[in-house]
Amino acid sequence: CNISKRRMRSTPVTLMPELWLHIVKFLPPSSMAIFKQTSNLGRQSTKSLLAGRIIVATGRSAFIFDTATNKLLLTIKGHNLIVRRCKFSRDGRRVMTASADGTAKIWNSVTGTLLLKLTGHTSGLSSCDFSPDGSRIVTGSDDSTVRVWDAENGELLLTLYHLSSVSRCVFSLDGNRIVTISHNDFMARVWCTETGACQLNLEGEHTRPLTCCCFSNDGKYILTSSFDKTARLWNGANGELEKTLLHENCVMSCAFSSNDQLIITACQD
């Protein structure tokens, strides 16, 4: 894996400048976008209807914008506390919001109709993800658990346990594994999505809480970032540390390029 590192300054202006200016006209700057995700993958199966959109969560609401025109397409409301994470399904037809009120909700991304409400966590949610085929959902919570749900009927399928509050949970591209991180145990864990068995503990290297985790697209590698000023590349099969990428400050986010040849990290320097 021939991977090079590129760093990007951590700044709130992560959207197109024109779109960002449109957003700040009516959203409180103090609670500005905590997460955003585009649904360009929708173009592959649904042409222009679901393509080129971005979702932004702020306060108790989520907003879907057209990235070509910067037009606000949909406002999603229905949580009692702030929305901490929001995510499109891979086909772009659904969107999920995860809230500090302890619930995750799935919405029709065109009409805003509430399709499903997931309850059972005993504390606020911090992360969520759709499986690539859209059949399952994973949520992570401050209650130290990760839960896997049936995306059609909301049935709880698995409960996975960490030692402290869970800050991120992500499916692998084949949907067979989930990688999770929690705030205080300084490790990432890899789980089987069918049995719930913990396959790997990525530990012993990070010295401060982790901030982000993801699989490479081919599933061969796992990337983590941390407040310890590093991003670390792990072997996805045996959990061995492959590379440590040093930064000058806390690393808040990390991701692979679509061809897995590049890693991008964002830090507070």
Side-chain angles (χ1 to χ4, degrees), residues 49-71:
L49 176 61
L50 303 177
R53 296 175 302 160
I54 193 168
I55 184 165
V56 176
T58 181
R60 301 179 185 181
S61 303
F63 305 85
I64 297 178
F65 293 87
D66 185 298
T67 56
T69 65
N70 299 337
K71 180 181 178 181

Side-chain angles (χ1 to χ4, degrees), residues 194-252:
E194 292 299 325
T195 66
C198 182
Q199 298 178 330
L200 294 172
N201 285 324
L202 309 180
E203 58 184 334
E205 299 292 343
H206 283 295
T207 58
R208 293 193 64 193
L210 278 64
T211 57
C212 189
C213 61
C214 60
F215 287 98
S216 60
N217 294 281
D218 61 12
K220 293 181 179 179
Y221 297 93
I222 296 166
L223 186 61
T224 58
S225 61
S226 169
F227 284 110
D228 67 8
K229 304 180 183 180
T230 70
R232 299 179 190 260
L233 184 70
W234 309 80
N235 186 299
N238 58 29
E240 293 183 0
L241 181 66
E242 299 279 347
K243 290 185 180 181
T244 298
L245 309 177
L246 301 176
H247 295 68
E248 297 174 1
N249 213 319
C250 305
V251 187
M252 303 307 296

